[in-house]
Amino acid sequence: MTDAREHDLVLFGVTGFVGRLLAAYVAEHAPPGLRVALAGRSRAKVEDVRAGLPAAAHDWPVVVADTQDPERLAAMARSTRVVVSTVGPYLRHGLPVVGACARNGTHYADLTGETPFVRRAVDRYDHVARAAGARLVHACGYDAVPSDLAVLTLHRRVTADGAGCLQDVRLVATARGGVSGGTIASVRGIAEQAARDARVRRLLADPFALSPDRDAEPDVPQPPDVPAPGRTVDGGWVAASPMASFNTRVVRRSNALTGWSYGRSMRYGEVAGTGRGARGAAAAYALTAALPAFAGAVAFPPTRALLDRVLPAPGEGPDEETRRTGRFRMDVHAVTTTGRHYRAVAAGEGDPGYAATAVMLGESALALALDGDRLPDAAGSLTPATGLGDVLVERLRAAGHTYEASPR
């Protein structure tokens, strides 16, 4: 791609909750001279958002684009080297944006946590993007950057130590934060599709649902997405993680896209840490029961209508105090094929789904716009680890996040 394009980076969807946070982050951290534009359906609403951003953004141009208008989407994609989209739910709105970027050789990033959307994007546009030299990097937020980059960091250390390949890997996630209406809408969309479509249910149940070559995947049983509550070696309680069914598929896709470099026999699972003692046990059992109950409730129209009265609506999210005081930590425990034990940590401050996600997606955007010559030599439908790799790890460390791995 050349500088003949009008913009270096277009932020699409800035009138949404996460879109506003992303635009503010880029305004504070983009270097002088980076040509950034803000995009959305309504020029007036985008201009209102721009007026509330840091001063560096006040001269950014506005691009009018709509996921229902192919011509405007194509024009947006042609105008820039990178599009970052926060327009969700992605199952409903995402594919036209991916297609426009793939066809026009424009790099793309999003923060989806929707397995069916990524599968459809891969099937329809991976080959188109490869031919055009475009990177389509999905899941650049809390889903699934910490998981994907923690395992990449672990793999790098194990390889450097000559300790074989990864064999048994389990991530224990702890977090504090809120939830937005956009996240609820994404969960509801997946639950509704699964309720009426057996193909979606089979996809969600497949541990290798996002593999680039399903038939080539090794016949290695994977940990369940919803395990029974249990204990860790240090006495803490763990339960099913709401993010496991997506994040594990992304990590396994990263492994497959790199020729199973992490290990063809790798077993990878994720759980949520709930604390210690009786309170931790109670939280573990409550969380395990709540996940399927919530999925069923949002898929069933009468209970969904009741939930809509109390849950955040699209465009709404946690307040500033919640975003500021949130945090996340992933502790990854691994055993290699040579029997050695390793541990990796991914951690950061700020509400993981919003404040920390704005950092992750913002640094992904800047990496695509500024670091092309240092990024992995890859195109097509990619993961954070395979599309941005060590460059994103470096950027996030510089932004205050932790990514480290060591023997134990």
Side-chain angles (χ1 to χ4, degrees):
M1 286 179 251
T2 69
D3 287 337
R5 300 200 180 199
E6 183 179 358
H7 314 298
D8 296 314
L9 172 63
V10 169
L11 307 179
F12 182 41
V14 295
T15 59
F17 187 76
V18 179
R20 293 193 297 271
L21 297 177
L22 171 66
Y25 183 86
V26 173
E28 292 170 354
H29 294 88
L34 188 70
R35 301 169 302 167
V36 183
L38 305 174
R41 287 187 300 173
S42 165
R43 177 176 292 276
K45 290 182 179 180
V46 174
E47 289 175 345
D48 284 345
V49 170
R50 182 179 62 182
L53 294 176
H58 291 175
D59 293 330
W60 288 353
V62 171
V63 175
V64 177
D66 188 332
T67 59
Q68 303 302 310
D69 188 333
E71 291 185 3
R72 285 188 181 272
L73 282 183
M76 177 180 71
R78 287 194 300 268
S79 76
T80 184
R81 298 190 298 114
V82 181
V83 169
V84 176
S85 175
T86 57
V87 180
Y90 291 94
L91 267 172
R92 186 181 305 164
H93 302 296
L95 285 174
V97 187
V98 177
C101 290
R103 286 188 290 268
N104 288 282
T106 303
H107 298 321
Y108 163 94
D110 63 37
L111 47 72
T112 187
E114 303 166 39
T115 300
F117 163 72
V118 177
R119 183 70 263 172
R120 292 174 193 179
V122 170
D123 292 343
R124 295 185 191 183
Y125 298 118
D126 177 65
H127 66 288
V128 179
R130 286 176 183 269
R135 294 183 178 91
L136 309 177
V137 190
H138 301 292
C140 292
Y142 188 49
D143 288 322
V145 163
S147 301
D148 206 28
L149 296 189
V151 177
L152 174 66
T153 303
L154 188 64
H155 162 65
R156 294 282 192 247
R157 180 58 190 267
V158 168
T159 301
D161 290 352
C165 296
L166 297 174
Q167 185 161 2
D168 286 293
V169 184
R170 184 169 80 157
L171 181 149
V172 180
T174 55
R176 183 173 71 184
V179 66
S180 76
T183 298
I184 298 297
S186 293
V187 172
R188 183 170 66 184
I190 294 173
E192 289 173 349
Q193 287 219 354
R196 64 174 181 261
D197 192 334
R199 292 171 299 178
V200 174
R201 293 195 295 274
R202 287 194 295 271
L203 179 73
L204 294 174
D206 184 356
F208 299 104
L210 298 182
S211 175
D213 188 348
R214 183 63 183 84
D215 292 339
E217 288 290 348
D219 186 19
V220 177
Q222 296 295 318
D225 294 328
V226 187
R231 306 290 291 276
T232 62
V233 293
D234 61 359
W237 281 89
V238 295
S241 168
M243 300 163 58
S245 63
F246 181 71
N247 290 350
T248 56
R249 275 65 172 173
V250 172
V251 171
R252 293 178 194 129
R253 178 170 175 82
S254 294
N255 189 25
L257 284 172
T258 58
W260 294 276
S261 63
Y262 300 173
R264 282 193 63 84
S265 62
M266 185 180 77
R267 289 168 41 85
Y268 178 70
E270 293 193 7
V271 292
T274 59
R276 296 176 177 275
R279 181 175 296 181
Y285 280 95
L287 180 58
T288 300
L291 291 178
F294 180 76
V298 297
F300 186 52
T303 51
R304 183 171 67 240
L306 293 174
L307 289 173
D308 285 345
R309 298 178 183 178
V310 297
L311 294 174
E316 299 177 353
D319 60 25
E320 184 176 355
E321 176 70 10
T322 300
R323 299 197 304 270
R324 182 182 63 80
T325 59
R327 62 178 182 271
F328 74 91
R329 181 183 175 95
M330 315 298 213
D331 288 287
V332 190
H333 306 273
V335 181
T336 73
T337 51
T338 62
R340 295 180 63 179
H341 291 251
Y342 280 79
R343 180 184 181 186
V345 175
E349 297 297 318
D351 183 302
Y354 305 98
T357 280
V359 177
M360 297 175 207
L361 186 57
E363 292 298 339
S364 297
L366 294 174
L368 286 170
L370 297 168
D371 300 328
D373 59 340
R374 299 196 302 125
L375 295 178
D377 184 13
S381 291
L382 303 167
T383 62
T386 59
L388 303 170
D390 299 315
V391 171
L392 184 56
V393 173
E394 293 170 8
R395 281 187 162 276
L396 291 175
R397 285 172 175 160
H401 289 193
T402 298
Y403 287 91
E404 57 187 28
S406 60
R408 55 180 188 94

